[in-house]
Amino acid sequence: MNTTTTVLIIIGLVVIALLALSLRIVKQYERGVVLRLGRVVGAREPGLRLLIPIADVMHKVSLRIVTMPIQSQGIITRDNVSVDVSAVAYFRVVDAVKSVVAIENVQAAINQIAQTTLRKVVGKHSLDETLSETDEINADIRQILDDTTTAWGIDVTLVELKDIQLPDAMKRAMARQAEAERRSARRSSTRRASPSRPRPWARPPTR
């Protein structure tokens, strides 16, 4: 093998390596944020994309809706009742560049803010309000999260309270109250259903 052939083989291998470093595939549900020498040059649309080797770095960002559980939080309601509340949040990236540049780990940041917001919002309500006004609480949490994460290129689409756990003593008290109400209702129903006794005819007075 002469020197020319060796050089051509080396050049061919270098070209193949450069092509491997230059070509990237962006999926339909992704956007590719490209940084050139550390500066953002834009977001690439889905398809086969060509980068400048070494100078360009691409961060792929998914635009699909993410389902994020909010772990159970111990919360004291406005009327001093301790409850454990868990929830679930749905969000998606609407600005890929902001989600890469403005925040290091989007999901971890949203999870932390969601936990503190859940405690803050539920803590402003009494126990009865927490159990009966879940739609209002969901909307308040979603609005706070959405306002906070807009600067990160995130849209929080939905928040739902998933589970509200009451203290065991309160569960037993509520069960006793419900049983007492059922017994009272049964007694009332029995009294209404039982026929009334006929009144005896008055005897004529004796002479």
Side-chain angles (χ1 to χ4, degrees):
M1 182 181 296
N2 55 30
T3 305
T4 303
T5 305
T6 303
V7 171
L8 290 175
I9 292 175
I10 293 173
I11 292 175
L13 292 175
V14 171
V15 170
I16 292 172
L18 290 176
L19 286 175
L21 293 173
S22 301
L23 296 178
R24 293 290 186 275
I25 295 176
V26 181
K27 298 183 178 65
Q28 182 64 39
Y29 54 83
E30 293 177 332
R31 294 296 181 270
V33 179
V34 177
L35 282 74
R36 180 168 299 157
L37 299 177
R39 296 177 62 87
V40 175
V41 295
R44 299 293 184 259
E45 297 293 320
L48 183 64
R49 300 301 168 194
L50 184 65
L51 304 178
I52 298 176
I54 303 175
D56 287 353
V57 176
M58 176 181 285
H59 297 272
K60 294 181 181 179
V61 178
S62 175
L63 304 185
R64 293 178 293 186
I65 292 178
V66 178
T67 303
M68 185 189 69
I70 304 173
Q71 67 182 14
S72 182
Q73 302 293 306
I75 303 170
I76 298 177
T77 62
R78 192 179 63 197
D79 49 352
N80 294 322
V81 178
S82 178
V83 294
D84 290 329
V85 182
S86 62
V88 60
Y90 300 85
F91 68 89
R92 64 189 182 95
V93 175
V94 293
D95 189 323
V97 174
K98 286 183 179 180
S99 71
V100 171
V101 175
I103 191 76
E104 182 176 359
N105 188 325
V106 169
Q107 188 156 348
I110 295 176
N111 189 31
Q112 293 299 314
I113 292 178
Q115 291 179 30
T116 57
T117 303
L118 178 63
R119 290 195 295 268
K120 178 181 177 181
V121 173
V122 174
K124 293 179 179 179
H125 293 76
S126 66
L127 177 61
D128 289 341
E129 292 171 347
T130 302
L131 296 174
S132 62
E133 299 177 4
T134 54
D135 290 342
E136 179 182 342
I137 294 174
N138 293 337
D140 290 345
I141 296 173
R142 191 207 68 81
Q143 187 61 52
I144 294 173
L145 289 179
D146 197 44
D147 291 344
T148 304
T149 58
T150 297
W152 306 341
I154 304 298
D155 176 35
V156 180
T157 58
L158 183 67
V159 175
E160 289 285 343
L161 296 185
K162 188 167 62 173
D163 189 26
I164 302 175
Q165 290 289 337
L166 303 177
D168 292 338
M170 181 164 289
K171 289 180 182 178
R172 290 192 293 269
M174 293 175 68
R176 287 194 298 268
Q177 181 181 354
E179 181 61 25
E181 291 176 353
R182 285 195 293 269
R183 289 177 180 174
S184 177
R186 283 198 297 268
R187 284 196 296 266
S188 299
S189 176
T190 302
R191 283 197 297 267
R192 286 195 300 268
S194 60
S196 58
R197 288 184 176 182
R199 295 180 61 184
W201 292 102
R203 293 182 179 179
T206 56
R207 294 181 180 178

